[in-house]
Amino acid sequence: MFRDKIELKDIEKIDPEYRDLLGRVLTIQADCEIGGPHLYVEDILPAAPTKIDQLIVARTAAEEVDHFRKMARILGDIGLDVSYVLSWPNQKRYVEAFRGKITTWEDFAVFGLLIDRVGRYQLEEYVGCTYAPLDRILPDVLKEEEGHLDYGTNKTAEMAAKGGEAKERVQKALNYWYVKGLDMFGHSESRRSERYIYWGLKRRTNAQARQEYMKEVNSLIEGMGLEVPDPNAGRLYF
Ligand SMILES: [Fe+2]
Ligand SMILES: [Fe+2]
C-alpha cells in the first residue's frame, strides 16, 4: 500500500498509474459538480416557492460551480483540461444521474437528499488521501455539500409530511433517484477500485461505500414515512 503524501512536484516521479487514476476520478467529479446546476437552474430557480428557496437554489448552484473550478484547477495542474464539460449537453455527462433535467420541486429536493449525499460519500473517499492538493480543498467543499444535502433532506421531509398527493409525488421522485444514486458507486467487483485503495486515493471499495450509503438513506426514508424503493429496479451497475 502506498501511503506517501504527494505534492504536484512529485507526480512526475511516481508510477503513471497514479496520475491516470487521479485524473480519471477527478474528471468525473468535475463533471458531476457542474452537472448539478445544468440539471436544475433553468427550471427550478425561477419557480422557487419563496425568496429564501430561490436564494438557496442560486447559492447551491454557485457552490457547485466553485467545486467544479477547484477540481478543474487540480486537473489543470496535472495537465488535464476539463473545460469541455462546461458546455457539453447533459446527455453526454459521465454519470447517468446527470443526463436528464429537473423540472419539479420534488425532484430537486430528493436530488439533494440522495444525489448530493452520494457526492458527500465520494468526497469523503479522498479525506486524508495521498494527493495533498486534493486533500486540502476538501474541508470547504464538504461543508458546502453538507448544506445541500441537509436542505434536500428537510424539503423532502416537509413534502412527505403533507401526505396525500404531495407525498405520492415525493415517493415517485424517490423511486427515480434512489437507484440512480446506488449506481453512482459503480461496480462492486471493480479492479480499478482496488487500485485506488492501493494508491491511497480512496478509502473504501465501491461495495462498502454503497452499503454504508444505503444504511444511512434507508433509515432517513423510513423516518419520513416513505417507502424504501426496490434497490434493484432499473439498476445499471451492481
Ligand atoms: Fe458539489
Ligand atoms: Fe452539492
Side-chain angles (χ1 to χ4, degrees), residues 29 32-33 63-64 67-68 116 119 123 141 144-145 148:
Q29 185 74 39
C32 290
E33 297 291 0
E63 287 170 352
E64 302 298 11
H67 298 170
F68 167 79
D116 283 284
L123 292 165
V141 175
E144 288 167 355
E145 215 56 68
H148 306 170

Side-chain angles (χ1 to χ4, degrees), residues 28-43:
I28 297 170
Q29 185 74 39
D31 189 49
C32 290
E33 297 291 0
I34 200 70
H38 281 260
L39 280 180
Y40 54 71
V41 166
E42 196 177 343
D43 288 345

Side-chain angles (χ1 to χ4, degrees), residues 17-81:
E17 187 188 22
Y18 186 87
R19 182 187 168 277
D20 288 350
L21 289 172
L22 183 66
R24 184 188 162 85
V25 76
L26 291 188
T27 297
I28 297 170
Q29 185 74 39
D31 189 49
C32 290
E33 297 291 0
I34 200 70
H38 281 260
L39 280 180
Y40 54 71
V41 166
E42 196 177 343
D43 288 345
I44 296 302
L45 184 64
T50 70
K51 292 195 283 296
I52 290 292
D53 289 310
Q54 194 160 51
L55 188 65
I56 290 170
V57 178
R59 194 183 61 194
T60 303
E63 287 170 352
E64 302 298 11
V65 172
D66 190 51
H67 298 170
F68 167 79
R69 283 179 57 243
K70 288 185 161 101
M71 299 298 165
R73 173 173 295 175
I74 293 175
L75 286 162
D77 286 345
I78 63 167
L80 292 170
D81 177 7

Side-chain angles (χ1 to χ4, degrees), residues 56-139:
I56 290 170
V57 178
R59 194 183 61 194
T60 303
E63 287 170 352
E64 302 298 11
V65 172
D66 190 51
H67 298 170
F68 167 79
R69 283 179 57 243
K70 288 185 161 101
M71 299 298 165
R73 173 173 295 175
I74 293 175
L75 286 162
D77 286 345
I78 63 167
L80 292 170
D81 177 7
V82 287
S83 48
Y84 62 93
V85 310
L86 278 173
S87 56
W88 71 359
N90 290 3
Q91 303 90 277
K92 284 203 168 179
R93 299 268 165 225
Y94 289 110
V95 173
E96 231 269 319
F98 294 90
R99 292 189 191 145
K101 189 96 194 286
I102 290 181
T103 58
T104 73
W105 269 85
E106 288 80 14
D107 283 306
F108 182 69
V110 172
F111 183 85
L113 163 72
L114 296 180
I115 307 300
D116 283 284
R117 194 176 308 270
V118 177
R120 189 192 83 202
Y121 270 77
Q122 289 175 336
L123 292 165
E124 279 172 352
E125 291 301 318
Y126 319 134
V127 173
C129 74
T130 52
Y131 196 55
L134 173 59
D135 195 24
R136 281 193 288 268
I137 65 163
L138 293 173

